[in-house]
């Protein structure tokens, strides 16, 4: 199979969908890899690095999209890339379609087979291709939150860990999954007072046992969340429903009750966001805006700011699945691998992921009806 890797064009998206080691793996299995020139620069890989691993370098994105059977990316295609879609193309990338009706419709109309990293799901419910980026984003959320708590960035002027004689900041994390636990771990390590809210008592019990009470665990409901936010300095939105639009857990009146200069970092923004007052996606160039006196951070590609770490972490888990698709073709690969089948969002013009269909109110077709037709 001919596999293409275009350069990412999202604002400050410096990751790349493959490493030289990934190229070596695919080429060693008999496939051809075509990479757009300079695609790896943001992650520290030169064209020569890829050439030495067996890739061929093409001079334009159009060449990569048009000359290959499968395109692997990091982020969802932007409108300027929609024209490259075609019936015989496999697209393997993060898609986050629930808040993106235009992209979803364009994928369906074009006949692209679109497989989303974020919905590949193992039988135990884990999301192997989302987990590494959730770990990165969770840890980064505290880093950027602490930065924006500084007064020059419109924050309250609070040091996360405090100093002797001065209380540490209070960090509230909504969601106890991979993002939330990684955020809490870093916040705790920086000396903050940390609370996690979740709707799953078993998850809260696990966190309490692991951290021996150093992280306060709170059952998530409107009443408790409102109480927690009264003296919160940094709020981390870490809610995820696989493939679906994120519910608005943090209501406007809760945000209004927060201290002036406190900070919200909503890691769930790429699935629509969990905070009612976040009404737009921001970028690494202009990451925050202020509303009701609270600093809102809503960057949808947080790991793109640490691309060297993120690219290695991502490709460690994506390349084995890409190899399965390349070896067998998309239909046979998803027949053979139930986890990969969960990743199929669009195939043969049909929307095959139910949570996305419900979020967008689009017609849903079970994948089995498509691959066994």
């Amino acid at each position: 199979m001919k596999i293409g890797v275009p350069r990412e064009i999202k604002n400050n998206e410096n990751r790349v969908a493959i490493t030289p080691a990934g190229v070596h793996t695919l080429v060693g299995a008999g496939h051809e890899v075509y990479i757009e020139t300079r695609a790896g620069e943001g992650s520290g890989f030169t064209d020569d690095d890829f050439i030495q691993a067996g890739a061929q370098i093409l001079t334009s994105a159009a060449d990569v999209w048009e000359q290959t059977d499968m395109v692997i990316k990091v982020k969802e295609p932007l409108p300027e890339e929609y024209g490259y879609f075609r019936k015989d193309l496999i697209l393997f990338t993060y898609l986050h379609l629930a808040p993106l009706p235009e992209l979803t419709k364009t994928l369906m109309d074009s006949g692209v087979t679109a497989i989303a990293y974020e919905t590949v799901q193992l039988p135990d419910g884990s999301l192997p291709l989302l987990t590494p980026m959730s770990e990165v984003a969770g840890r980064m959320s505290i880093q950027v939150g602490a930065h924006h708590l500084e007064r020059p960035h419109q924050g309250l002027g609070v040091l996360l860990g405090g100093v002797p004689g001065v209380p540490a900041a209070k960090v509230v994390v909504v969601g106890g999954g991979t993002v939330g636990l990684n955020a809490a771990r870093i916040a705790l390590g920086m000396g903050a007072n940390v609370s996690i809210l979740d709707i799953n008592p078993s998850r809260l019990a696990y966190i309490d046992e692991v951290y021996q009470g150093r992280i306060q665990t709170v059952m998530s409901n409107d009443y408790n969340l409102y109480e927690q936010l009264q003296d919160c300095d940094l709020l981390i939105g870490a809610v995820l429903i696989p493939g679906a639009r994120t519910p608005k857990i943090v209501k406007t009146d809760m945000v209004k009750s927060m201290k002036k200069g406190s900070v919200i970092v909503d890691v769930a923004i790429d699935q629509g966001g969990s905070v009612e007052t976040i009404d737009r996606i921001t970028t690494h160039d202009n990451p925050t805006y202020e509303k009701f006196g609270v600093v809102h951070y809503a960057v949808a590609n947080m790991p793109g700011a640490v691309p060297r770490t993120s690219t290695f972490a991502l490709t460690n888990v994506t390349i084995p699945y890409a190899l399965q698709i390349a070896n067998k073709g998309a239909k046979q690969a998803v027949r053979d691998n139930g986890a990969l089948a969960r990743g199929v969002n669009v195939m043969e013009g049909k929307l095959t992921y139910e949570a996305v269909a419900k979020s967008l109110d689009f017609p849903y077709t079970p994948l089995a009806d498509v691959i066994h037709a």
Side-chain angles (χ1 to χ4, degrees):
M1 183 177 283
K2 295 181 178 180
I3 301 157
V5 181
R7 186 160 54 92
E8 298 294 323
I9 61 173
K10 194 178 184 76
N11 179 278
N12 275 289
E13 183 46 76
N14 294 299
R15 290 172 288 180
V16 64
I18 201 166
T19 60
V23 171
H24 185 267
T25 296
L26 293 171
V27 171
H31 306 291
E32 299 174 15
V33 179
Y34 297 83
I35 300 177
E36 183 182 356
T37 184
R38 300 174 55 213
E41 281 187 351
S43 295
F45 303 121
T46 66
D47 287 352
D48 283 343
D49 291 332
F50 288 123
I51 291 170
Q52 289 175 19
Q56 300 180 52
I57 302 299
L58 299 179
T59 58
S60 71
D63 289 339
V64 172
W65 285 89
E66 292 166 5
Q67 295 183 30
T68 54
D69 307 303
M70 175 169 65
V71 166
I72 56 175
K73 290 181 82 284
V74 177
K75 291 303 290 178
E76 74 283 350
L78 297 182
E80 48 265 55
E81 296 171 303
Y82 294 178
Y84 299 133
F85 296 169
R86 63 179 194 274
K87 186 176 181 180
D88 59 347
L89 178 70
I90 302 167
L91 175 63
F92 191 35
T93 186
Y94 285 119
L95 287 172
H96 298 293
L97 294 179
L100 298 173
E102 182 184 358
L103 173 57
T104 305
K105 186 176 187 305
T106 305
L107 288 169
M108 294 169 69
D109 290 346
S110 66
V112 168
T113 294
I115 305 174
Y117 293 162
E118 73 275 6
T119 63
V120 172
Q121 189 168 21
L122 295 172
D124 65 2
S126 62
L127 304 166
L129 307 192
L130 185 62
T131 294
M133 295 303 94
S134 295
E135 292 168 342
V136 170
R139 297 178 186 204
M140 278 191 68
S141 69
I142 302 302
Q143 184 173 303
V144 300
H147 178 70
H148 289 286
L149 274 171
E150 297 170 5
R151 191 61 187 161
H153 302 287
Q154 287 72 53
L156 187 59
V158 171
L159 183 65
L160 214 61
V163 293
V166 182
K170 178 176 179 178
V171 177
V172 175
V173 181
V174 183
T178 301
V179 170
L181 197 54
N182 277 271
R185 179 184 302 168
I186 299 302
L188 189 66
M190 292 178 72
N193 293 314
V194 185
S195 299
I196 285 186
L197 293 91
D198 199 278
I199 60 173
N200 185 345
S202 297
R203 186 63 174 174
L204 295 177
Y206 167 79
I207 294 168
D208 184 70
E209 181 178 355
V210 169
Y211 288 93
Q212 297 291 297
R214 291 179 296 149
I215 296 174
Q216 183 182 21
T217 56
V218 182
M219 183 58 63
S220 184
N221 56 52
D222 285 352
Y223 184 90
N224 287 343
L225 184 54
Y226 191 91
E227 289 281 301
Q228 287 289 318
L229 295 186
Q230 302 303 299
D231 57 351
C232 170
D233 297 293
L234 173 59
L235 169 64
I236 306 298
V239 177
L240 173 70
I241 299 175
R245 180 181 284 272
T246 308
K248 301 294 184 182
I249 303 296
V250 180
K251 307 296 194 299
T252 299
D253 63 332
M254 298 178 187
V255 175
K256 287 181 178 179
S257 76
M258 295 175 68
K259 293 183 288 189
K260 306 301 182 187
S262 56
V263 175
I264 296 173
V265 177
D266 194 355
V267 183
I269 189 60
D270 54 8
Q271 287 289 120
S274 60
V275 181
E276 274 189 347
T277 52
I278 291 187
D279 53 12
R280 60 186 180 273
I281 292 175
T282 61
T283 68
H284 288 292
D285 282 343
N286 189 19
T288 64
Y289 62 91
E290 179 268 331
K291 201 167 189 177
F292 305 121
V294 177
V295 177
H296 291 60
Y297 179 100
V299 175
N301 61 326
M302 291 175 65
V306 287
R308 184 75 174 176
T309 297
S310 298
T311 291
F312 279 113
L314 179 62
T315 58
N316 283 345
V317 293
T318 57
I319 294 303
Y321 286 91
L323 182 60
Q324 292 178 48
I325 298 168
N327 285 344
K328 301 177 179 180
K331 278 194 173 182
Q332 191 59 48
V334 301
R335 288 190 188 105
D336 293 347
N337 188 326
L340 187 59
R342 293 285 293 166
V344 179
N345 281 210
V346 177
M347 181 177 276
E348 295 187 359
K350 308 296 185 182
L351 184 54
T352 58
Y353 199 84
E354 189 172 11
V356 171
K358 287 182 177 178
S359 295
L360 297 176
D361 197 24
F362 279 15
Y364 163 66
T365 303
L367 179 64
D369 292 354
V370 179
I371 62 174
H372 298 301

